[in-house]
Amino acid sequence: MELSPDSIILWQTGFAKLNITIVLTWLNMLLLTVGSVLVTRRLRDDGKLSRWQNLLEVLVSGIEQQIADMGLSPPREFLPFLGTLFVFVLFANLLAVVPGYRPPTGSLSTTAALAISVFVAVPWWGIRRRGLRGFFGLYIQPSIFMLPFNILGELSRTLALAVRLFGNIMSGSMIAGILLSVTPLFFPVVMQLLGLITGVIQAYIFAILAAVYIAAAAKVQLVREGAGQGGSHG
Amino acid sequence: MLIDWFTVAAQAVNFLLLIWLLKRFLYGPIIQAMDHREARIESRLQEAHQEQETARKEAAEYQRLNRELEEGRAEGLRQAAEEAALHRQQLIDQGRTEASELAKAWKASVCRDRQMFMAELKKRIGSEVLQIARKSLDDLTGCDLTTLLAERFIARFSALGETQQANCRVAAEKSGILVRSAVALGEDIRRNLENELRRVLGQELIISYRTEEEMPLGIELIFGGLKLSWGVDSYFNELEQQVDRQFEEIEAAAGDTGRS
């Protein structure tokens, strides 16, 4: 059994390759986009709402509320990035119940890509909000001697972000596979259900941690607290 | 190798693409719809508040008008009651005045009727008495009543006192003497009367006669402002007084019945 779906390569030419991770990510993107287009093409802003519109509104406004609770203001500025992180990871994890589907989040490459996106997003908003000096000044807090530790913390938390998601999803798939070979009845189903819960929780944790990191960098009041959180999570 | 860097790069691009796709097809439309709905709800709430405020003002206005109407109605009722009382009093006064005028007119009419009746009665009685007396005297004694009356009058005239004769003389010299009687006096009586008058009052007298059928039985001498009469007038006056008393008693009895 492969640890990562990256190893299932459908097409390759030189360095470029098309593995199952990328294909299933596209499938995931296609489902999300087509679903969104189907629901939002008949949006109504008066009268009775459709169930799907209602569901999406609850989802979007819930994410917005969570972002606001993190202290990121205005939340709509961060909604596309953090919301997409959550929705992408959530759908990838939930689709794991479909037989034959290998969740892209079970690939360390995918989770690393997402973690790198967060790693880039943090200075992006930090510099926009605080300015170059203000953002990099955070790394010498509370003293210049903390600079290497802060940089290490920054890197390690990114690594932890990637490995945490990968480890959880990969292990879920592995356990399901192992149990399937040992006890083909009932247990795999229970584990799949557990996997669903784990998937949802991991999607939430990933998005929330990203929000916390960005908030630590972007929000002046949360400088110390955010830095502390960053270190602990790392 | 767990990490494939090409896949990492591809997934990063995929992720950025998904951000754009979802922003374009999910967050944008959903947020726009929510914002529109919120704006619509806000505007409806504003309208509702405005309408509520308008309704509150209108309610206050209606209450004020209602109060004014109530007050006006009470005032109107009071005025109407006062006007009705005044009108009623006016009608009562008018009725009393009319009743009083009617009573006056009735009394005047009764008085007039009485006077006419008395005059007629006097005339009739005089005429009847004269006829009866004349006829009975003529039948029983063969004497003329007028002649006897005239003779008696001449005798009474002759018996007047000096003062009265002097007054008569002065008056007769000024305006002459008018002799009034109910029936025409005969030649003898006239001659006797003139002789007596001239003897008492003087020779230069102008004597004229007038016969008036309305007169009761008797003879009258008119000297300018003086008058001497001899006849049944005093009896008639007494009779008239008696009839008046009767009338007054009848009126008093009618008044008591009307009041009761």
Side-chain angles (χ1 to χ4, degrees):
Chain A
M1 176 178 273
E2 306 86 6
L3 278 180
S4 169
D6 292 357
S7 55
I8 306 173
I9 297 168
L10 301 177
W11 174 80
Q12 183 169 16
T13 169
F15 182 64
K17 63 187 84 167
L18 190 63
N19 55 34
I20 197 82
T21 303
I22 296 173
V23 172
L24 289 176
T25 300
W26 284 349
L27 178 67
N28 196 357
M29 287 166 65
L30 187 71
L31 285 174
L32 284 171
T33 307
V34 170
S36 298
V37 169
L38 284 177
V39 173
T40 56
R41 72 178 176 179
R42 282 198 299 269
L43 284 181
R44 299 182 65 177
D45 55 10
D46 62 337
K48 194 179 178 189
L49 306 181
S50 70
R51 292 182 181 193
W52 289 107
Q53 183 183 345
N54 212 343
L55 178 72
L56 287 190
E57 284 191 6
V58 168
L59 183 72
V60 169
S61 59
I63 295 171
E64 209 175 49
Q65 186 60 45
Q66 284 289 332
I67 293 169
D69 289 346
M70 286 292 115
L72 290 169
S73 180
R76 285 183 186 178
E77 185 184 337
F78 303 92
L79 177 67
F81 181 75
L82 294 173
T84 305
L85 263 184
F86 176 70
V87 170
F88 174 71
V89 176
L90 180 74
F91 266 74
N93 294 349
L94 290 182
L95 285 173
V97 294
V98 177
Y101 184 86
R102 301 291 299 272
T105 45
S107 153
L108 189 58
S109 304
T110 307
T111 57
L114 297 178
I116 289 168
S117 299
V118 175
F119 182 77
V120 173
V122 169
W124 163 261
W125 265 298
I127 291 169
R128 281 183 71 179
R129 289 295 173 94
R130 292 173 176 273
L132 210 56
R133 183 185 292 269
F135 174 70
F136 286 111
L138 290 174
Y139 287 91
I140 54 170
Q141 294 293 337
S143 74
I144 188 80
F145 301 108
M146 292 300 289
L147 179 64
F149 300 103
N150 279 332
I151 293 171
L152 265 178
E154 192 79 19
L155 292 171
S156 62
R157 78 182 185 189
T158 305
L159 182 64
L161 206 59
V163 172
R164 183 188 298 110
L165 182 59
F166 162 69
N168 274 285
I169 303 307
M170 185 270 288
S171 64
S173 300
M174 292 290 277
I175 290 169
I178 293 165
L179 283 175
L180 204 61
S181 60
V182 178
T183 55
L185 289 174
F186 305 120
F187 269 113
V189 177
V190 176
M191 290 312 292
Q192 287 280 38
L193 287 174
L194 202 62
L196 280 181
I197 298 171
T198 311
V200 174
I201 291 172
Q202 286 305 316
Y204 179 71
I205 287 174
F206 198 98
I208 282 291
L209 283 177
V212 168
Y213 298 155
I214 292 169
K219 198 161 165 33
V220 179
Q221 291 89 326
L222 289 175
V223 173
R224 288 176 184 280
E225 194 183 341
Q229 282 177 351
S232 66
H233 284 298
Chain B
M1 183 69 179
L2 284 175
I3 291 187
D4 175 52
W5 291 105
F6 175 79
T7 310
V8 170
Q11 290 295 68
V13 171
N14 282 340
F15 178 65
L16 293 176
L17 183 65
L18 184 63
I19 289 176
W20 181 81
L21 284 172
L22 289 188
K23 188 177 179 182
R24 170 78 178 75
F25 293 111
L26 179 65
Y27 306 126
I30 291 282
I31 285 173
Q32 202 177 15
M34 288 196 298
D35 286 350
H36 279 174
R37 188 161 56 247
E38 273 180 20
R40 193 185 297 270
I41 289 169
E42 183 64 26
S43 84
R44 283 185 183 171
L45 278 175
Q46 283 285 345
E47 284 175 15
H49 280 139
Q50 283 175 356
E51 285 177 4
Q52 205 174 16
E53 184 65 19
T54 310
R56 197 185 59 75
K57 284 180 182 168
E58 283 183 359
E61 178 67 14
Y62 278 123
Q63 280 177 349
R64 190 182 63 76
L65 287 173
N66 211 2
R67 208 163 43 243
E68 284 181 4
L69 192 68
E70 287 290 333
E71 288 170 0
R73 190 161 64 184
E75 179 67 16
L77 279 172
R78 196 182 58 74
Q79 280 184 357
E82 283 180 1
E83 282 175 9
L86 189 66
H87 190 59
R88 179 167 158 269
Q89 192 58 41
Q90 283 175 347
L91 285 176
I92 289 170
D93 291 346
Q94 190 180 353
R96 280 183 180 155
T97 310
E98 285 177 2
S100 170
E101 283 173 0
L102 280 173
K104 274 182 193 169
W106 179 74
K107 279 182 183 173
S109 170
V110 167
C111 192
R112 203 163 48 245
D113 288 350
R114 189 171 64 189
Q115 285 172 354
M116 286 170 66
F117 173 72
M118 292 309 297
E120 184 67 19
L121 185 68
K122 201 183 280 184
K123 185 179 163 188
R124 288 262 182 97
I125 289 173
S127 174
E128 289 297 322
V129 166
L130 187 65
Q131 289 293 331
I132 291 166
R134 187 178 293 150
K135 193 166 185 313
S136 57
L137 274 174
D138 194 35
D139 289 350
L140 295 172
T141 63
C143 295
D144 182 19
L145 180 62
T146 309
T147 308
L148 289 174
L149 196 69
E151 286 175 354
R152 187 65 184 157
F153 177 67
I154 291 164
R156 293 283 296 185
F157 182 74
S158 304
L160 282 176
E162 281 295 320
T163 313
Q164 288 172 324
Q165 284 184 356
N167 288 339
C168 291
R169 193 176 300 120
V170 172
E173 284 173 358
K174 268 188 187 171
S175 55
I177 298 172
L178 173 63
V179 180
R180 289 176 70 227
S181 59
V183 295
L185 300 173
E187 281 297 320
D188 295 340
I189 296 171
R190 284 189 183 191
R191 192 167 48 247
N192 291 340
L193 183 62
E194 284 174 14
N195 289 337
E196 185 59 27
L197 286 173
R198 286 199 169 93
R199 184 186 68 79
V200 175
L201 303 176
Q203 294 300 315
E204 301 299 323
L205 280 177
I206 300 167
I207 300 170
S208 57
Y209 296 91
R210 189 187 298 165
T211 305
E212 292 180 6
E213 291 184 353
E214 290 81 11
M215 264 185 77
L217 183 60
I219 297 174
E220 263 184 11
L221 295 185
I222 296 170
F223 308 84
L226 288 175
K227 188 168 82 175
L228 281 176
S229 70
W230 182 250
V232 294
D233 264 0
S234 59
Y235 303 108
F236 287 155
N237 286 337
E238 191 177 343
L239 180 64
E240 189 176 348
Q241 283 170 5
Q242 283 182 0
V243 172
D244 277 345
R245 275 197 295 276
Q246 289 292 323
F247 269 118
E248 282 166 6
E249 286 172 9
I250 290 167
E251 281 176 12
D256 288 342
T257 311
R259 274 192 293 276
S260 65

